[in-house]
Amino acid sequence: MEAKKIKNCFIEGPIASTFIGESIGKHQSKTTIGAHQLFLGQVRKDIIDSKSVISIEYTSHVDMANKVFEEIREEAFSKFDLTCMHIYHSLGEVKIGEICLFVFVSSAHRKAAQKAVEFIVEEIKLKSPIFGKENLEDESHVWKVNQ
Amino acid sequence: MENEVQFYGMIAEKLGISKTSILIDFKVEDVNVRDLIMDSYPLLKAMTFQIAINNVIKENISSAEVGEIIAILPPFAGG
């Protein structure tokens, strides 16, 4: 049996608002959908030791992260009544105010989509091997750790 | 045959290395990778990390997994 091809969910740099808009537009032909639920992660201007974060540089164990995303996807489909779902995460530098995570879930009804997005985002934060170097305004950096 | 070891994020920065290879002596069937790696890189003793072998989180490696990639993963920060 042919091995299942794992989708690459990474995008180099920030996730553009045009990409998000086009993704929504592509679902207009899927007329069984009654609800879309989106989560957008944005890089925040945190203050660390009196210094502002100016960007986060994301790296990842890409093969493993894509496998984890696929497992999260399969679990989400088994738990919730979904029509489709997509995960996109940035690699490389993302400046404050830019989008680094885009989770897009579609369902016939809103509640399944709402619950699924919450589940998916928590699972991504917990299980995906993604690392973030927070670059500070004085050219120093710290490593971000999910709480 | 050896196993490639990959270091990520703050661990790669701290150790000043992103990959190496190790030859594991399988005196017992399951070898604890955490102990093995910390012996080679004592700086890791003060760091929090998980281990993945062939993209699966686990601590022990068996002789059947020779050649698989061992990844040393610092705390996650996705999202």
Side-chain angles (χ1 to χ4, degrees), chain A residues 104-126:
Chain A
F104 183 15
V105 172
S106 307
S107 180
H109 303 285
R110 71 185 184 284
K111 285 194 176 164
Q114 288 167 346
K115 287 178 185 170
V117 164
E118 184 177 4
F119 168 79
I120 292 160
V121 172
E122 293 304 315
E123 288 287 287
I124 289 170
K125 285 182 173 283
L126 185 67

PDB file of all heavy atoms in Angstrom, chain A residues 104-126:
ATOM      1  N   PHE A 104      -8.373  26.990  10.132  1.00  0.00           N
ATOM      2  CA  PHE A 104      -9.605  27.271   9.401  1.00  0.00           C
ATOM      3  C   PHE A 104     -10.441  25.996   9.365  1.00  0.00           C
ATOM      4  O   PHE A 104     -10.041  24.996   8.774  1.00  0.00           O
ATOM      5  CB  PHE A 104      -9.222  27.727   7.987  1.00  0.00           C
ATOM      6  CG  PHE A 104     -10.369  28.137   7.099  1.00  0.00           C
ATOM      7  CD1 PHE A 104     -11.635  28.403   7.593  1.00  0.00           C
ATOM      8  CD2 PHE A 104     -10.162  28.285   5.737  1.00  0.00           C
ATOM      9  CE1 PHE A 104     -12.669  28.788   6.769  1.00  0.00           C
ATOM     10  CE2 PHE A 104     -11.185  28.681   4.886  1.00  0.00           C
ATOM     11  CZ  PHE A 104     -12.437  28.926   5.409  1.00  0.00           C
ATOM     12  N   VAL A 105     -11.578  26.032  10.050  1.00  0.00           N
ATOM     13  CA  VAL A 105     -12.430  24.847  10.174  1.00  0.00           C
ATOM     14  C   VAL A 105     -13.817  25.168   9.626  1.00  0.00           C
ATOM     15  O   VAL A 105     -14.351  26.250   9.875  1.00  0.00           O
ATOM     16  CB  VAL A 105     -12.537  24.430  11.665  1.00  0.00           C
ATOM     17  CG1 VAL A 105     -13.565  23.333  11.846  1.00  0.00           C
ATOM     18  CG2 VAL A 105     -11.182  23.967  12.188  1.00  0.00           C
ATOM     19  N   SER A 106     -14.369  24.237   8.888  1.00  0.00           N
ATOM     20  CA  SER A 106     -15.701  24.430   8.308  1.00  0.00           C
ATOM     21  C   SER A 106     -16.594  23.255   8.673  1.00  0.00           C
ATOM     22  O   SER A 106     -16.135  22.113   8.714  1.00  0.00           O
ATOM     23  CB  SER A 106     -15.612  24.538   6.785  1.00  0.00           C
ATOM     24  OG  SER A 106     -14.686  25.525   6.415  1.00  0.00           O
ATOM     25  N   SER A 107     -17.856  23.584   8.915  1.00  0.00           N
ATOM     26  CA  SER A 107     -18.814  22.565   9.321  1.00  0.00           C
ATOM     27  C   SER A 107     -20.206  22.979   8.854  1.00  0.00           C
ATOM     28  O   SER A 107     -20.424  24.116   8.439  1.00  0.00           O
ATOM     29  CB  SER A 107     -18.777  22.441  10.853  1.00  0.00           C
ATOM     30  OG  SER A 107     -19.680  21.458  11.292  1.00  0.00           O
ATOM     31  N   ALA A 108     -21.159  22.048   8.964  1.00  0.00           N
ATOM     32  CA  ALA A 108     -22.542  22.391   8.617  1.00  0.00           C
ATOM     33  C   ALA A 108     -23.102  23.391   9.626  1.00  0.00           C
ATOM     34  O   ALA A 108     -23.886  24.272   9.283  1.00  0.00           O
ATOM     35  CB  ALA A 108     -23.403  21.128   8.579  1.00  0.00           C
ATOM     36  N   HIS A 109     -22.696  23.228  10.889  1.00  0.00           N
ATOM     37  CA  HIS A 109     -23.249  24.062  11.968  1.00  0.00           C
ATOM     38  C   HIS A 109     -22.136  24.630  12.842  1.00  0.00           C
ATOM     39  O   HIS A 109     -21.075  24.024  12.981  1.00  0.00           O
ATOM     40  CB  HIS A 109     -24.225  23.242  12.811  1.00  0.00           C
ATOM     41  CG  HIS A 109     -25.334  22.657  12.005  1.00  0.00           C
ATOM     42  ND1 HIS A 109     -26.393  23.397  11.542  1.00  0.00           N
ATOM     43  CD2 HIS A 109     -25.512  21.394  11.521  1.00  0.00           C
ATOM     44  CE1 HIS A 109     -27.199  22.625  10.838  1.00  0.00           C
ATOM     45  NE2 HIS A 109     -26.690  21.405  10.797  1.00  0.00           N
ATOM     46  N   ARG A 110     -22.423  25.770  13.502  1.00  0.00           N
ATOM     47  CA  ARG A 110     -21.362  26.533  14.156  1.00  0.00           C
ATOM     48  C   ARG A 110     -20.706  25.833  15.342  1.00  0.00           C
ATOM     49  O   ARG A 110     -19.514  25.974  15.560  1.00  0.00           O
ATOM     50  CB  ARG A 110     -21.897  27.911  14.590  1.00  0.00           C
ATOM     51  CG  ARG A 110     -22.872  27.861  15.742  1.00  0.00           C
ATOM     52  CD  ARG A 110     -23.470  29.233  16.042  1.00  0.00           C
ATOM     53  NE  ARG A 110     -24.340  29.215  17.202  1.00  0.00           N
ATOM     54  CZ  ARG A 110     -25.578  28.730  17.228  1.00  0.00           C
ATOM     55  NH1 ARG A 110     -26.077  28.198  16.133  1.00  0.00           N
ATOM     56  NH2 ARG A 110     -26.296  28.755  18.330  1.00  0.00           N
ATOM     57  N   LYS A 111     -21.500  25.094  16.140  1.00  0.00           N
ATOM     58  CA  LYS A 111     -20.944  24.585  17.390  1.00  0.00           C
ATOM     59  C   LYS A 111     -19.802  23.605  17.161  1.00  0.00           C
ATOM     60  O   LYS A 111     -18.791  23.635  17.877  1.00  0.00           O
ATOM     61  CB  LYS A 111     -22.040  23.972  18.259  1.00  0.00           C
ATOM     62  CG  LYS A 111     -22.893  25.074  18.887  1.00  0.00           C
ATOM     63  CD  LYS A 111     -23.778  24.616  19.997  1.00  0.00           C
ATOM     64  CE  LYS A 111     -24.490  25.841  20.584  1.00  0.00           C
ATOM     65  NZ  LYS A 111     -25.621  25.521  21.404  1.00  0.00           N
ATOM     66  N   ALA A 112     -19.944  22.739  16.171  1.00  0.00           N
ATOM     67  CA  ALA A 112     -18.872  21.779  15.876  1.00  0.00           C
ATOM     68  C   ALA A 112     -17.608  22.526  15.464  1.00  0.00           C
ATOM     69  O   ALA A 112     -16.502  22.193  15.898  1.00  0.00           O
ATOM     70  CB  ALA A 112     -19.313  20.833  14.761  1.00  0.00           C
ATOM     71  N   ALA A 113     -17.769  23.554  14.644  1.00  0.00           N
ATOM     72  CA  ALA A 113     -16.605  24.319  14.177  1.00  0.00           C
ATOM     73  C   ALA A 113     -15.944  25.075  15.329  1.00  0.00           C
ATOM     74  O   ALA A 113     -14.712  25.100  15.448  1.00  0.00           O
ATOM     75  CB  ALA A 113     -17.037  25.291  13.077  1.00  0.00           C
ATOM     76  N   GLN A 114     -16.766  25.651  16.197  1.00  0.00           N
ATOM     77  CA  GLN A 114     -16.208  26.402  17.340  1.00  0.00           C
ATOM     78  C   GLN A 114     -15.412  25.487  18.268  1.00  0.00           C
ATOM     79  O   GLN A 114     -14.291  25.800  18.670  1.00  0.00           O
ATOM     80  CB  GLN A 114     -17.348  27.071  18.127  1.00  0.00           C
ATOM     81  CG  GLN A 114     -17.964  28.252  17.398  1.00  0.00           C
ATOM     82  CD  GLN A 114     -19.281  28.711  18.033  1.00  0.00           C
ATOM     83  OE1 GLN A 114     -19.880  28.015  18.856  1.00  0.00           O
ATOM     84  NE2 GLN A 114     -19.742  29.887  17.634  1.00  0.00           N
ATOM     85  N   LYS A 115     -15.997  24.348  18.612  1.00  0.00           N
ATOM     86  CA  LYS A 115     -15.325  23.413  19.522  1.00  0.00           C
ATOM     87  C   LYS A 115     -14.064  22.843  18.875  1.00  0.00           C
ATOM     88  O   LYS A 115     -13.042  22.652  19.541  1.00  0.00           O
ATOM     89  CB  LYS A 115     -16.281  22.278  19.898  1.00  0.00           C
ATOM     90  CG  LYS A 115     -17.373  22.702  20.858  1.00  0.00           C
ATOM     91  CD  LYS A 115     -18.305  21.540  21.141  1.00  0.00           C
ATOM     92  CE  LYS A 115     -19.468  22.002  22.015  1.00  0.00           C
ATOM     93  NZ  LYS A 115     -20.522  20.990  22.121  1.00  0.00           N
ATOM     94  N   ALA A 116     -14.146  22.571  17.594  1.00  0.00           N
ATOM     95  CA  ALA A 116     -12.997  21.973  16.896  1.00  0.00           C
ATOM     96  C   ALA A 116     -11.805  22.934  16.878  1.00  0.00           C
ATOM     97  O   ALA A 116     -10.668  22.529  17.118  1.00  0.00           O
ATOM     98  CB  ALA A 116     -13.393  21.602  15.466  1.00  0.00           C
ATOM     99  N   VAL A 117     -12.045  24.201  16.625  1.00  0.00           N
ATOM    100  CA  VAL A 117     -10.942  25.164  16.568  1.00  0.00           C
ATOM    101  C   VAL A 117     -10.245  25.263  17.924  1.00  0.00           C
ATOM    102  O   VAL A 117      -9.011  25.278  17.990  1.00  0.00           O
ATOM    103  CB  VAL A 117     -11.433  26.558  16.097  1.00  0.00           C
ATOM    104  CG1 VAL A 117     -10.404  27.630  16.418  1.00  0.00           C
ATOM    105  CG2 VAL A 117     -11.680  26.525  14.598  1.00  0.00           C
ATOM    106  N   GLU A 118     -11.027  25.296  18.989  1.00  0.00           N
ATOM    107  CA  GLU A 118     -10.415  25.364  20.320  1.00  0.00           C
ATOM    108  C   GLU A 118      -9.540  24.126  20.558  1.00  0.00           C
ATOM    109  O   GLU A 118      -8.401  24.239  21.021  1.00  0.00           O
ATOM    110  CB  GLU A 118     -11.495  25.468  21.397  1.00  0.00           C
ATOM    111  CG  GLU A 118     -10.879  25.639  22.774  1.00  0.00           C
ATOM    112  CD  GLU A 118     -11.908  25.828  23.873  1.00  0.00           C
ATOM    113  OE1 GLU A 118     -13.107  25.761  23.592  1.00  0.00           O
ATOM    114  OE2 GLU A 118     -11.471  26.024  25.017  1.00  0.00           O
ATOM    115  N   PHE A 119     -10.060  22.974  20.221  1.00  0.00           N
ATOM    116  CA  PHE A 119      -9.304  21.726  20.374  1.00  0.00           C
ATOM    117  C   PHE A 119      -8.015  21.757  19.542  1.00  0.00           C
ATOM    118  O   PHE A 119      -6.923  21.460  20.041  1.00  0.00           O
ATOM    119  CB  PHE A 119     -10.191  20.543  19.946  1.00  0.00           C
ATOM    120  CG  PHE A 119      -9.449  19.259  19.783  1.00  0.00           C
ATOM    121  CD1 PHE A 119      -9.109  18.498  20.900  1.00  0.00           C
ATOM    122  CD2 PHE A 119      -9.075  18.798  18.525  1.00  0.00           C
ATOM    123  CE1 PHE A 119      -8.412  17.306  20.756  1.00  0.00           C
ATOM    124  CE2 PHE A 119      -8.379  17.613  18.372  1.00  0.00           C
ATOM    125  CZ  PHE A 119      -8.034  16.859  19.484  1.00  0.00           C
ATOM    126  N   ILE A 120      -8.132  22.151  18.301  1.00  0.00           N
ATOM    127  CA  ILE A 120      -6.990  22.119  17.382  1.00  0.00           C
ATOM    128  C   ILE A 120      -5.883  23.076  17.842  1.00  0.00           C
ATOM    129  O   ILE A 120      -4.698  22.713  17.868  1.00  0.00           O
ATOM    130  CB  ILE A 120      -7.455  22.456  15.936  1.00  0.00           C
ATOM    131  CG1 ILE A 120      -8.348  21.336  15.400  1.00  0.00           C
ATOM    132  CG2 ILE A 120      -6.259  22.686  15.014  1.00  0.00           C
ATOM    133  CD1 ILE A 120      -9.225  21.765  14.235  1.00  0.00           C
ATOM    134  N   VAL A 121      -6.254  24.278  18.219  1.00  0.00           N
ATOM    135  CA  VAL A 121      -5.243  25.270  18.636  1.00  0.00           C
ATOM    136  C   VAL A 121      -4.507  24.790  19.892  1.00  0.00           C
ATOM    137  O   VAL A 121      -3.279  24.882  19.982  1.00  0.00           O
ATOM    138  CB  VAL A 121      -5.884  26.659  18.861  1.00  0.00           C
ATOM    139  CG1 VAL A 121      -4.888  27.622  19.483  1.00  0.00           C
ATOM    140  CG2 VAL A 121      -6.407  27.217  17.539  1.00  0.00           C
ATOM    141  N   GLU A 122      -5.263  24.246  20.856  1.00  0.00           N
ATOM    142  CA  GLU A 122      -4.608  23.747  22.074  1.00  0.00           C
ATOM    143  C   GLU A 122      -3.658  22.598  21.753  1.00  0.00           C
ATOM    144  O   GLU A 122      -2.555  22.510  22.306  1.00  0.00           O
ATOM    145  CB  GLU A 122      -5.666  23.294  23.100  1.00  0.00           C
ATOM    146  CG  GLU A 122      -6.517  24.421  23.655  1.00  0.00           C
ATOM    147  CD  GLU A 122      -5.698  25.546  24.283  1.00  0.00           C
ATOM    148  OE1 GLU A 122      -4.766  25.249  25.034  1.00  0.00           O
ATOM    149  OE2 GLU A 122      -5.977  26.724  23.990  1.00  0.00           O
ATOM    150  N   GLU A 123      -4.072  21.721  20.871  1.00  0.00           N
ATOM    151  CA  GLU A 123      -3.231  20.585  20.493  1.00  0.00           C
ATOM    152  C   GLU A 123      -1.966  21.051  19.766  1.00  0.00           C
ATOM    153  O   GLU A 123      -0.874  20.513  20.001  1.00  0.00           O
ATOM    154  CB  GLU A 123      -4.019  19.623  19.591  1.00  0.00           C
ATOM    155  CG  GLU A 123      -5.081  18.827  20.327  1.00  0.00           C
ATOM    156  CD  GLU A 123      -4.491  17.737  21.205  1.00  0.00           C
ATOM    157  OE1 GLU A 123      -4.014  16.733  20.665  1.00  0.00           O
ATOM    158  OE2 GLU A 123      -4.511  17.913  22.439  1.00  0.00           O
ATOM    159  N   ILE A 124      -2.099  22.034  18.903  1.00  0.00           N
ATOM    160  CA  ILE A 124      -0.932  22.572  18.183  1.00  0.00           C
ATOM    161  C   ILE A 124       0.077  23.124  19.184  1.00  0.00           C
ATOM    162  O   ILE A 124       1.276  22.841  19.111  1.00  0.00           O
ATOM    163  CB  ILE A 124      -1.364  23.676  17.183  1.00  0.00           C
ATOM    164  CG1 ILE A 124      -2.116  23.052  16.010  1.00  0.00           C
ATOM    165  CG2 ILE A 124      -0.139  24.466  16.682  1.00  0.00           C
ATOM    166  CD1 ILE A 124      -2.781  24.078  15.094  1.00  0.00           C
ATOM    167  N   LYS A 125      -0.422  23.903  20.133  1.00  0.00           N
ATOM    168  CA  LYS A 125       0.488  24.527  21.111  1.00  0.00           C
ATOM    169  C   LYS A 125       1.179  23.479  21.970  1.00  0.00           C
ATOM    170  O   LYS A 125       2.341  23.632  22.333  1.00  0.00           O
ATOM    171  CB  LYS A 125      -0.282  25.525  21.982  1.00  0.00           C
ATOM    172  CG  LYS A 125      -0.611  26.816  21.241  1.00  0.00           C
ATOM    173  CD  LYS A 125      -1.337  27.813  22.114  1.00  0.00           C
ATOM    174  CE  LYS A 125      -1.506  29.142  21.409  1.00  0.00           C
ATOM    175  NZ  LYS A 125      -0.285  29.947  21.385  1.00  0.00           N
ATOM    176  N   LEU A 126       0.462  22.414  22.282  1.00  0.00           N
ATOM    177  CA  LEU A 126       0.991  21.383  23.172  1.00  0.00           C
ATOM    178  C   LEU A 126       1.939  20.412  22.462  1.00  0.00           C
ATOM    179  O   LEU A 126       2.962  20.006  23.029  1.00  0.00           O
ATOM    180  CB  LEU A 126      -0.199  20.599  23.767  1.00  0.00           C
ATOM    181  CG  LEU A 126       0.112  19.549  24.820  1.00  0.00           C
ATOM    182  CD1 LEU A 126       0.637  20.213  26.097  1.00  0.00           C
ATOM    183  CD2 LEU A 126      -1.161  18.739  25.135  1.00  0.00           C
TER     184      LEU A 126
END
